[in-house]
Amino acid sequence: MEQNHKPAKDQFDDNSIKILAWNEHIQRRPEMYIGQIGDGSDPKDGIYTLLKEAFESFLDEYKMGRCNEIVIEHNSLMVSIREYGCGIPLESVVPYTSGMSVGIGVNQDVVTASGIKIANALSESFLCNSYREGMRSWALYTNGFLLEKGIEEDDEDEPIGTWIQFEFDKEIFSGSYYRLEIVKDIIKQYAKQNPGLSITLNHKKL
């Protein structure tokens, strides 16, 4: 029997395969990573998941005994989190905040950075600073794409640790904004669950 070897109309070839960047996959299907998008009126809405994902990445430092203070500031669109731990290794700020999820081994402990990466991918502005050894290592992104990075002497003599600041993507989270009472309730829960950790929110200790 004669076989038909004509190519299919919708031919599957190399051009049919698209490789997504790490941040593109998160941006195309954010609900897979953060649940519902919402508008910020519900504690389960996505902007609060970004806050919790980023905060819990820093909470690992406390659980490993390397940090006992975290300071949070926020307004309706922006979140800033500063932890006074050991700081991200200077050459590792970019891999810690972007790319595929990796483990960072310190004294055989493994720290995952996936929460920070999700916040990075879904933020129109994301800045990370690490302070240690008298130096500052930093990386600035938009929607997970690296804009600038550097390692320089810390002229302001900041205590060691890590500081991130991000502003969520207003297209993905259209109409969303942070409600102070919801943020306060979320952070109070973390304070109750971690009694040895000092947490300050908008200049007030919880």
Side-chain angles (χ1 to χ4, degrees), residues 30-31 34-40 44-47 122 172-174 176:
E31 293 91 343
I34 61 169
Q36 65 193 40
I37 299 295
D39 62 2
K44 296 180 181 178
D45 287 348
I47 57 173
L122 298 178
I172 295 174
F173 301 99
S174 177
S176 293

Side-chain angles (χ1 to χ4, degrees), residues 103-155:
I104 299 176
V106 181
N107 297 329
Q108 298 183 339
D109 292 325
V110 177
V111 180
T112 59
S114 60
I116 283 182
K117 294 179 181 183
I118 292 169
N120 184 2
L122 298 178
S123 295
E124 61 185 46
S125 175
F126 185 99
L127 173 65
C128 178
N129 290 279
S130 176
Y131 303 96
R132 56 189 290 169
E133 303 164 14
M135 305 292 289
R136 177 177 80 104
S137 179
W138 57 276
L140 175 65
Y141 301 85
T142 181
N143 298 105
F145 292 104
L146 182 64
L147 297 178
E148 299 176 355
K149 66 175 182 175
I151 299 177
E152 59 194 15
E153 188 173 343
D154 178 15
D155 294 332

Side-chain angles (χ1 to χ4, degrees), residues 50-69:
L50 294 187
L51 168 62
K52 289 185 282 188
E53 290 281 3
F55 184 88
E56 288 177 7
S57 294
F58 285 171
L59 195 59
D60 288 340
E61 288 290 289
Y62 163 72
K63 292 178 179 178
M64 293 179 185
R66 297 195 290 260
C67 169
N68 59 12
E69 182 181 3

